[in-house]
Amino acid sequence: MKITHTQIYRYSIPMVPFAIATGTMQSAQNVFIRIFTDEGIYGAGECSAFPYITGETQNTCLVMARDFAALWKEKDARNIEDRLKELDAFAAGNSTIKSAFDMALYDLAAKAANVPLYKYLGGEKRTIETDITIGIGPVEEMVEKATQFEEQGANILKVKIGKNAYEDIEKIGHIRQAVKPGTLIRVDANQGWVYEDAVFALQALDQFDIEFCEQPMRTWYDDYLPELCHNAAVHVMADESCYNHHDARRLIKTKSCDSINIKLAKSGGIAGALKIHRLAEEAGIPCMIGGMLESRFALTANLHFAWASQNVQYYDLDTCLLGHLEDPVVGGATYNKYVLDCPDAPGIGADVDEAFLTRCEHWKV
């Protein structure tokens, strides 16, 4: 199954500004690709550039996408392992745009096998309920969001903090007081604290029955993570500290986290995510599936990955609920309040509306 050409789209989605500790995104800076083959089928992939985390922008992704597409021309789309090795040999890093190419190959492979992607990966459906994220803002706005989401059926709130540890504790206290006792609250500091503030916060937060805290410190403080985990009263989830399976191995070996957040934009795609999942499962470290600001297309791929990965026990699949002002996706995952499902169509089972794509800047390689 030879690759004949690739279509690349500047897949920008307008959205309500979304703030985390390291910056504010004004729009979803995504890239959508379709890889065509000589067997008359194509596979599609999407990535969402989040420069504050991965260092990649939409423009860098688009430049690399054209290079990757040229590299794969006339190559066998079925040989996923060799194709991905070629990308890694061509350029280090660039995991975000690599994840779109990885996704497209898996979409192709499952379509060729005429099965949904989760079945191609050896998985089966189970109930998956996502959290819903509250971005950083004034405490009154964050409390209002929390009660609004709860009224809409949310059982799990993920609260962005990390600007100021003392103010963060106050915010979480107000939110916990405002919501029902049974509502789960998890927090994400997005690397916002130094070690001393992280210790303080992860002891003080325990009084509010917090499920876990994602990425308390900058990755350059990773050598402090074992000590932090020892001193923290709240479980620590590694996010930006874990891009690939080598990071996962190091974190597990040094007892630097209680759980790991897997994101395709960090792992370089499904193949890398499966390697992280396997190591974590062997070590008894639970995983979460998360995302950046993807549309429902990549969200659906994340859902398939979760169904295929039994050690994924936490779900942060609310990317399309974080203020996207347009939904150009056809088919794919749907929300029943905060529970996700999708039809059993071959491959990822989603695509992007042609009318929307005609408005996007695009290239054919």
Side-chain angles (χ1 to χ4, degrees):
M1 187 162 62
K2 285 188 178 180
I3 296 170
T4 58
H5 65 281
T6 301
Q7 293 176 343
I8 303 163
Y9 296 88
R10 185 187 294 274
Y11 184 47
S12 303
I13 300 174
M15 63 178 291
V16 176
F18 181 71
I20 64 172
T22 47
T24 301
M25 294 292 286
Q26 305 292 334
S27 65
Q29 301 174 14
N30 301 354
V31 173
F32 181 72
I33 68 166
R34 286 173 173 164
I35 296 178
F36 290 80
T37 69
D38 61 358
E39 293 191 8
I41 58 174
Y42 66 83
E46 178 196 0
C47 66
S48 182
F50 212 106
Y52 311 122
I53 294 176
T54 65
E56 295 170 82
T57 67
Q58 187 182 51
N59 283 331
T60 64
C61 286
L62 288 167
V63 169
M64 295 306 296
R66 281 170 273 176
D67 286 340
F68 290 167
L71 186 67
W72 278 6
K73 206 162 185 178
E74 300 301 319
K75 301 287 182 66
D76 181 9
R78 292 183 186 272
N79 194 335
I80 296 176
E81 184 177 0
D82 282 358
R83 298 293 76 77
L84 297 180
K85 283 181 178 178
E86 287 171 346
L87 300 190
D88 289 336
F90 182 82
N94 294 279
S95 61
T96 300
I97 187 58
K98 285 177 180 176
S99 72
F101 279 76
D102 164 288
M103 191 183 297
L105 289 191
Y106 276 100
D107 186 34
L108 260 173
K111 283 178 177 174
N114 198 34
V115 295
L117 178 57
Y118 75 89
K119 288 187 177 180
Y120 178 81
L121 296 173
E124 59 183 23
K125 283 190 175 183
R126 65 184 189 275
T127 300
I128 288 182
E129 181 178 4
T130 183
D131 59 22
I132 181 67
T133 304
I134 301 169
I136 291 177
V139 62
E140 298 82 5
E141 291 181 10
M142 295 177 73
V143 169
E144 183 180 359
K145 277 285 186 185
T147 55
Q148 177 188 356
F149 289 146
E150 193 177 52
E151 289 169 0
Q152 293 170 354
N155 295 309
I156 313 166
L157 302 176
K158 175 176 169 177
V159 185
K160 294 287 188 178
I161 53 178
K163 288 286 191 181
N164 179 295
Y166 293 90
E167 292 178 4
D168 291 337
I169 303 306
E170 182 183 358
K171 287 178 177 179
I172 298 302
H174 283 295
I175 290 172
R176 171 51 79 195
Q177 189 174 17
V179 301
K180 299 172 187 174
T183 298
L184 288 175
I185 297 178
R186 51 186 64 155
V187 299
D188 186 359
N190 279 117
Q191 308 182 77
W193 300 320
V194 296
Y195 174 75
E196 293 76 13
D197 286 345
V199 171
F200 161 74
L202 294 184
Q203 290 175 347
L205 284 169
D206 187 45
Q207 64 186 301
F208 303 124
D209 190 24
I210 302 304
E211 188 177 22
F212 55 74
C213 175
E214 282 186 62
Q215 198 63 33
M217 305 179 296
R218 285 281 185 179
T219 57
W220 53 68
Y221 293 128
D222 278 359
D223 56 317
Y224 288 99
L225 278 174
E227 186 177 353
L228 178 64
C229 288
H230 178 75
N231 291 321
V234 173
H235 282 186
V236 174
M237 175 179 283
D239 184 358
E240 289 91 337
S241 290
C242 186
Y243 272 65
N244 54 49
H245 64 290
H246 298 298
D247 294 332
R249 174 180 47 80
R250 171 179 50 81
L251 290 166
I252 292 166
K253 186 176 182 180
T254 56
K255 298 183 179 178
S256 294
C257 64
D258 300 291
S259 53
I260 293 173
N261 188 0
I262 297 174
K263 295 176 180 174
L264 301 188
K266 293 187 303 166
S267 68
I270 293 167
L274 290 170
K275 292 178 182 178
I276 296 171
H277 176 267
R278 182 167 57 252
L279 284 175
E281 186 173 39
E282 290 170 355
I285 301 289
C287 296
M288 179 161 81
I289 179 64
M292 301 302 186
L293 293 172
E294 295 90 345
S295 74
R296 278 194 309 109
F297 184 88
L299 172 80
T300 307
N302 281 334
L303 180 59
H304 283 284
F305 171 77
W307 278 330
S309 307
Q310 293 299 313
N311 193 47
V312 172
Q313 300 177 24
Y314 310 113
Y315 315 104
D316 183 28
L317 297 175
D318 62 344
T319 58
C320 312
L321 305 176
L322 298 179
H324 283 201
L325 299 176
E326 195 165 358
D327 178 11
V329 179
V330 178
T334 56
Y335 294 94
N336 180 6
K337 292 185 178 178
Y338 296 93
V339 175
L340 290 97
D341 198 2
C342 72
D344 270 358
I348 292 172
D351 213 326
V352 176
D353 179 62
E354 294 293 341
F356 182 90
L357 291 177
T358 58
R359 310 200 313 262
C360 299
E361 186 180 9
H362 59 276
W363 297 263
K364 178 181 176 180
V365 179

